[in-house]
């Protein structure tokens, strides 16, 4: 292997935190990954990774080297992409996406895109927390709007609202709220981001905005888990319409406060502003935008 190949393997090691995982992903023998890392360390004259039987960690030199490696590989891939014209799309798309949307919709869209572009690879990170796409080295993020970071550029993928919902059995026991303020007497399942509970829910009352503080006996940083708790009858959840459309159709969930719901909590594809995304990233954005109409938003 050349130095660039060793660098790419080093980036994978840092991202996956495991030599064995990189070997499996690249269909290499574990000894080949170990040898690649050793040769790269010899080439740069520094220890990059500390290994033990239980954990793997980058050295301070490894951390600094990783940041520069990401820039070099990204710029090289983009340069190749620019001169490749109409050739096959290739390379990795590092993507950050919301838990529920990824499991319910995005996984199938990625499968279909890869069937058209088999030389593209995806590195998908899931979470309902807002991550720094630039600092995290992501090519693309799928987020609900509005966009607040001026360093980013967004393209609308899917129009949606956000609904209050619970299992029919829960509503039968506790009754449905008639006004957002009635949520104070309900067990609300709250999304938590980095230890910060999203316990203020926002609504529309005609032309006015209404915000209410909610609380309950459980919260999580995984919106998918909150949805499952709601289906089980544990409480009330606030979810994007595309996350619960199938549950509403099946009768597992029922909405409330529909006359007060937020109707413009849309899904956007977000990337760094000021530069054209690589062809593979732009092609995937276009693919998402053109196929989003197939996603069920309301029953």
């Amino acid at each position: 292997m050349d130095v660039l190949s060793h660098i790419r393997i080093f980036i994978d090691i840092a991202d996956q935190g495991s030599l064995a995982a990189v070997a499996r992903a690249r269909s290499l023998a574990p000894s080949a990954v170990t040898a690649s890392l050793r040769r790269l360390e010899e080439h740069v004259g520094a220890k990059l990774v500390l290994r033990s039987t239980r954990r793997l960690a980058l050295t301070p030199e490894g951390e600094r080297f990783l940041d520069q490696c990401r820039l070099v590989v990204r710029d090289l891939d983009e340069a190749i992409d620019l001169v490749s014209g109409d050739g096959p799309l290739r390379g990795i798309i590092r993507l950050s996406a919301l838990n529920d949307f990824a499991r319910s919709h995005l996984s199938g869209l990625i499968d279909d895109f890869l069937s058209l572009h088999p030389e593209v690879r995806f590195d998908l990170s899931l979470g309902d927390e807002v991550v720094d796409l630039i600092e995290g080295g992501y090519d693309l993020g799928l987020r609900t709007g509005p966009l607040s970071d001026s360093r980013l550029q967004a393209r609308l993928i899917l129009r949606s609202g956000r609904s209050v919902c619970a299992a029919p059995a829960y509503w039968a026991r506790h009754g449905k709220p008639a006004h957002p303020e009635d949520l104070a007497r309900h067990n609300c399942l709250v999304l938590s981001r980095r230890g910060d509970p999203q316990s203020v829910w926002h609504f529309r009352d005609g032309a006015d905005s209404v915000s209410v503080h909610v609380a309950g006996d459980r919260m999580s940083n995984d919106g998918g888990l909150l949805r499952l708790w709601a289906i089980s009858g544990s409480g009330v959840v606030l979810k994007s319409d595309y996350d619960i459309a199938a549950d509403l159709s099946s009768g597992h969930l029922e909405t409330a406060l529909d006359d007060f719901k937020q109707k413009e909590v849309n899904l956007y594809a977000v990337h760094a502003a000021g530069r054209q995304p690589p062809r593979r990233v732009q092609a995937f954005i276009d693919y998402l935008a053109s196929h989003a109409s197939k996603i069920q938003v309301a029953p």
Side-chain angles (χ1 to χ4, degrees):
M1 298 186 210
D2 56 22
V3 173
L4 181 59
S5 298
H6 295 319
I7 286 175
R8 291 184 186 276
I9 289 176
F10 169 63
I11 293 174
D12 286 350
I13 292 170
D15 288 342
Q16 300 191 39
S18 166
L19 300 179
V22 174
R24 287 192 298 270
R26 288 179 164 268
S27 300
L28 295 172
S31 59
V33 175
T34 301
S36 173
L37 176 59
R38 185 180 67 251
R39 292 186 182 113
L40 182 60
E41 290 177 328
E42 291 172 352
H43 184 79
V44 301
K47 190 73 173 175
L48 302 175
V49 176
L50 295 175
R51 286 161 285 171
S52 69
T53 55
R54 291 190 175 184
R55 61 188 298 268
L56 179 152
L58 297 184
T59 64
E61 293 80 8
E63 292 281 2
R64 293 194 296 271
F65 187 61
L66 175 65
D67 292 339
Q68 297 303 313
C69 285
R70 291 193 192 280
L71 294 175
V72 168
V73 170
R74 184 196 67 189
D75 289 347
L76 177 61
D77 286 346
E78 291 184 10
I80 293 172
D81 195 67
L82 285 172
V83 300
S84 61
D86 297 327
L89 299 178
R90 57 172 57 90
I92 192 167
I93 298 176
R94 292 182 172 84
L95 173 62
S96 171
L98 304 169
N99 282 305
D100 256 11
F101 180 79
R103 293 189 176 100
S104 300
H105 306 293
L106 183 60
S107 59
L109 291 169
I110 288 176
D111 289 341
D112 294 341
F113 185 80
L114 288 175
S115 69
L116 299 173
H117 306 287
E119 294 186 53
V120 172
R121 293 186 296 139
F122 280 86
D123 182 354
L124 177 59
S125 177
L126 301 186
D128 291 318
E129 298 180 347
V130 177
V131 299
D132 190 316
L133 299 180
I134 296 174
E135 290 295 325
Y138 294 102
D139 297 302
L140 187 65
L142 294 179
R143 293 182 175 175
T144 52
L147 185 65
S148 58
D149 191 335
S150 61
R151 300 175 302 164
L152 302 176
Q153 181 175 331
R155 178 171 173 183
L156 177 65
I157 298 298
L158 184 65
R159 293 191 180 276
S160 179
R162 195 172 277 163
S163 296
V164 169
C165 56
Y170 178 91
W171 294 135
R173 293 194 306 271
H174 301 282
K176 287 189 177 183
H179 188 274
E181 292 179 354
D182 297 338
L183 289 169
R185 62 181 176 84
H186 285 274
N187 190 49
C188 295
L189 311 175
V190 176
L191 183 68
S192 179
R193 290 175 172 166
R194 299 185 185 276
D196 179 22
Q198 307 298 292
S199 54
V200 178
W201 291 2
H202 303 284
F203 300 90
R204 300 293 302 179
D205 188 357
D208 298 325
S209 298
V210 177
S211 298
V212 297
H213 187 277
V214 300
D217 62 4
R218 61 195 78 185
M219 59 185 175
S220 173
N221 66 347
D222 186 340
L225 178 58
L226 297 180
R227 183 179 62 85
L228 293 177
W229 275 333
I231 291 172
S232 73
S234 298
V236 181
V237 71
L238 182 66
K239 292 292 294 179
S240 295
D241 291 340
Y242 49 76
D243 286 336
I244 57 170
D247 298 319
L248 297 178
S249 295
S250 67
H252 291 142
L253 292 174
E254 291 180 358
T255 61
L257 300 173
D258 291 345
D259 291 339
F260 300 90
K261 69 181 288 182
Q262 284 185 305
K263 296 182 179 179
E264 288 294 323
V265 188
N266 302 320
L267 184 72
Y268 295 88
V270 183
H271 59 84
R275 61 190 303 168
Q276 179 69 22
R279 275 198 316 134
R280 62 187 178 278
V281 176
Q282 186 62 57
F284 185 61
I285 295 172
D286 294 341
Y287 185 85
L288 289 175
S290 64
H291 288 73
S293 60
K294 299 178 182 179
I295 296 174
Q296 184 181 10
V297 175

